[in-house]
Amino acid sequence: MRFATTALHGGRKVDSDTLSCGVPIYRTTSYLFKDTEHAANLFALKELGNIYTRIGNPTQEVLEKRIAMLEGGAASLALASGTSAIFYSIINICEAGNEVVAANNLYGGTYSQFDSILPQLGIKVKLVDPKNPENFRRAINDKTRALYCETIGNPGLTMTDIEAVAKIAQEHALPLIVDATFTPPCLLRPIDYGANVVIHSLTKWIGGHGTVLGGIVTDAGNFDWTDPKFTLFNEPDASYHGLRYAHDLGEMNPIAFALRMRLVPLRNLGACISPDNCWSFLQGLETLSLRMERHSANGLAVANFLTTHKKVEWVNYPGLTENENNSTAKHYLKNGFGGMVAFGVKGGLNAGKRFIESLHLISHLANVGDAKSLAIHPASTTHSQLSEEQLKASSISASMVRLSIGIEHIDDILEDLTQALDKS
Ligand SMILES: *Cc1c(COP(=O)(O)O)cnc(C)c1O
């Protein structure tokens, strides 16, 4: 099946009792055991099946199977949010004393997690400029356990050369974790370029309507966890019958990463996704590739419009030929450049604020990936905790406005931008 077809049919199993065409929402916390032996087998992992919805749910399973197919991965695990997907991906690999080398142009929430929460657990994150992939290599030492980057950084919209970073990761026998939220799998599949773990905030384009929160982690199944430096995969887990995840899972060894994440961080920390939210994300997936076509066409039209506007200082959109990311973007994004556009309003901080306050159609809020167009002024909101130096390092200027262009009629979007720029 091609992408658009898998997005509608992937992982679906027709309910044998009702023959329901739509995927049922299994609103249950727990599942009956057939007998005591069945119960014992489930707990001992001799048989895989449903026990309790914190660990898994049949609606969630369809979503996980479908995403794994769309990403070209081996298995996926859906979680309560993109934020928990990121946290669980790190703590599924790292312990106190370990290090992660990460790109410095991260989503604000990820930056805070890496900067202030992970150090509390003794995990150090070294931030490097991803524009030169060699910066990752320079920061690797014998404590490093993973490399981490985003496909398109936020809000500077810098594209990382994933293939080059994946090669460095491979040379050092380290997994590469990629947050691909800004490039849903119809635009870019990081596993095709050597990534080992792919994260999405489902909240954004996959949900697609600004209504539901969720995250998902996809295990590519292409990493060798038997290297003893990955203690969590090689030493017996006392909390799970002495299981060594890299060795004792038999035919499930290729999905050791996803399975351990379900059995350890998810089971014991509990950021599970609700079956209702899984259903909403399945609904979103059905139209994902159609919506991305429109997001991309509108994004490009807005970028071209702003480029020639006299009140605009600069425009950043990976699809513009003069953009510094254009050659990387063209290499990775064959089906469109997405809906994220950043630009500078002439007149600095106050002009940026006046522009935002004058918008009528485009909503001023902190989100991206909604079918409706959105705008934010990062310096006074999402990135306001950052010092002037940190702002500079993340390439955010006082006049920067970040747009998440939706799927409305392009003329209505351009009219709103025109009148708001006039008032800026
Ligand atoms: C939104 C977002 C997250 C966090 O996801 P939530 O679902 O809001 O927790 C992580 N990374 C990126 C790139 C995002 O855009």
Side-chain angles (χ1 to χ4, degrees):
M1 287 192 286
R2 281 77 173 172
F3 188 96
T5 314
T6 305
L8 287 148
H9 298 274
R12 180 171 154 234
K13 198 171 65 185
V14 175
D15 180 75
S16 57
D17 289 342
T18 63
L19 303 181
S20 163
C21 174
V23 176
I25 302 175
Y26 289 92
R27 252 185 205 151
T28 184
T29 56
S30 26
Y31 308 84
L32 298 175
F33 301 124
K34 291 174 201 155
D35 49 40
T36 51
E37 192 193 343
H38 179 224
N41 282 346
L42 290 178
F43 275 89
L45 291 181
K46 282 185 191 148
E47 214 179 301
L48 284 188
N50 297 309
I51 299 175
Y52 190 63
T53 283
R54 171 155 36 76
I55 312 167
N57 171 284
T59 312
Q60 178 184 346
E61 193 184 334
V62 180
L63 174 66
E64 290 169 345
K65 287 213 165 117
R66 192 168 296 178
I67 293 274
M69 290 168 85
L70 294 171
E71 290 283 3
S76 299
L77 180 67
L79 294 158
S81 66
T83 302
S84 50
I86 294 163
F87 183 54
Y88 285 8
S89 296
I90 302 291
I91 63 163
N92 204 33
I93 305 172
C94 297
E95 317 176 85
N98 290 162
E99 295 185 3
V100 175
V101 179
N104 66 5
N105 57 345
L106 300 172
Y107 174 73
T110 309
Y111 180 85
S112 302
Q113 185 183 118
F114 285 9
D115 189 55
S116 61
I117 306 289
L118 293 182
Q120 291 175 26
L121 307 177
I123 300 165
K124 182 173 164 184
V125 181
K126 284 185 181 164
L127 297 175
V128 299
D129 184 348
K131 273 184 202 151
N132 179 1
E134 286 302 313
N135 291 336
F136 284 88
R137 191 196 303 279
R138 286 186 204 112
I140 292 171
N141 62 29
D142 59 1
K143 295 179 197 152
T144 312
R145 292 295 177 272
L147 305 188
Y148 186 100
C149 68
E150 294 178 4
T151 50
I152 299 186
N154 179 51
L157 309 184
T158 325
M159 276 210 83
T160 299
D161 185 350
I162 306 163
E163 214 167 1
V165 182
K167 202 159 158 275
I168 294 166
Q170 207 172 8
E171 283 165 22
H172 292 84
L174 292 168
L176 170 63
I177 306 172
V178 178
D179 177 343
T181 301
F182 275 39
T183 52
C186 50
L187 298 189
L188 171 59
R189 304 199 315 169
I191 294 170
D192 293 344
Y193 298 97
N196 308 103
V197 175
V198 179
I199 295 170
H200 278 280
S201 165
L202 296 168
T203 317
K204 312 298 167 53
W205 288 269
I206 292 178
H209 299 81
T211 48
V212 211
L213 243 109
I216 199 154
V217 180
T218 299
D219 176 352
N222 60 1
F223 190 78
D224 179 11
W225 296 103
T226 60
D227 181 339
K229 74 181 175 211
F230 298 105
T231 324
L232 298 178
F233 284 85
N234 288 279
E235 297 197 347
D237 181 352
S239 78
Y240 227 97
H241 323 295
L243 187 72
R244 296 168 310 153
Y245 296 93
H247 302 275
D248 303 333
L249 294 170
E251 61 184 27
M252 287 182 296
N253 271 343
I255 58 160
F257 182 83
L259 202 56
R260 188 187 184 280
M261 192 181 292
R262 190 184 298 279
L263 297 176
V264 185
L266 176 59
R267 187 176 70 132
N268 303 317
L269 294 172
C272 56
I273 188 167
S274 89
D276 293 69
N277 286 13
C278 293
W279 183 90
S280 295
F281 292 126
L282 285 166
Q283 196 78 357
L285 278 175
E286 294 203 351
T287 54
L288 178 65
S289 50
L290 282 176
R291 283 185 284 106
M292 289 320 293
E293 280 174 24
R294 179 66 79 86
H295 280 296
S296 297
N298 282 354
L300 183 61
V302 164
N304 280 325
F305 162 81
L306 292 172
T307 303
T308 57
H309 199 286
K310 60 182 189 306
K311 297 238 166 120
V312 173
E313 218 162 41
W314 53 267
V315 183
N316 184 2
Y317 183 69
L320 293 175
T321 40
E322 66 273 22
N323 189 274
E324 62 167 343
N325 292 290
N326 189 245
S327 60
T328 318
K330 276 208 277 223
H331 176 67
Y332 287 105
L333 304 173
K334 303 276 197 265
N335 297 324
F337 301 99
M340 295 302 297
V341 184
F343 73 100
V345 187
K346 269 188 195 154
L349 189 68
N350 287 329
K353 285 188 187 166
R354 270 197 301 272
F355 168 81
I356 290 272
E357 280 163 9
S358 308
L359 291 167
H360 297 314
L361 175 73
I362 301 175
S363 306
H364 175 210
L365 52 76
N367 191 20
V368 296
D370 195 317
K372 300 171 276 300
S373 290
L374 317 173
I376 201 161
H377 180 235
S380 64
T381 54
T382 50
H383 290 69
S384 57
Q385 301 97 325
L386 268 57
S387 69
E388 222 156 274
E389 257 166 37
Q390 288 171 318
L391 281 177
K392 231 186 201 163
S394 315
S395 48
I396 297 165
S397 62
S399 66
M400 175 196 251
V401 170
R402 187 192 72 183
L403 300 173
S404 173
I405 297 299
I407 62 175
E408 297 96 342
H409 195 288
I410 185 62
D411 294 347
D412 291 318
I413 297 172
L414 297 183
E415 277 171 26
D416 197 35
L417 292 172
T418 303
Q419 65 81 22
L421 280 168
D422 283 346
K423 291 181 192 138
S424 71

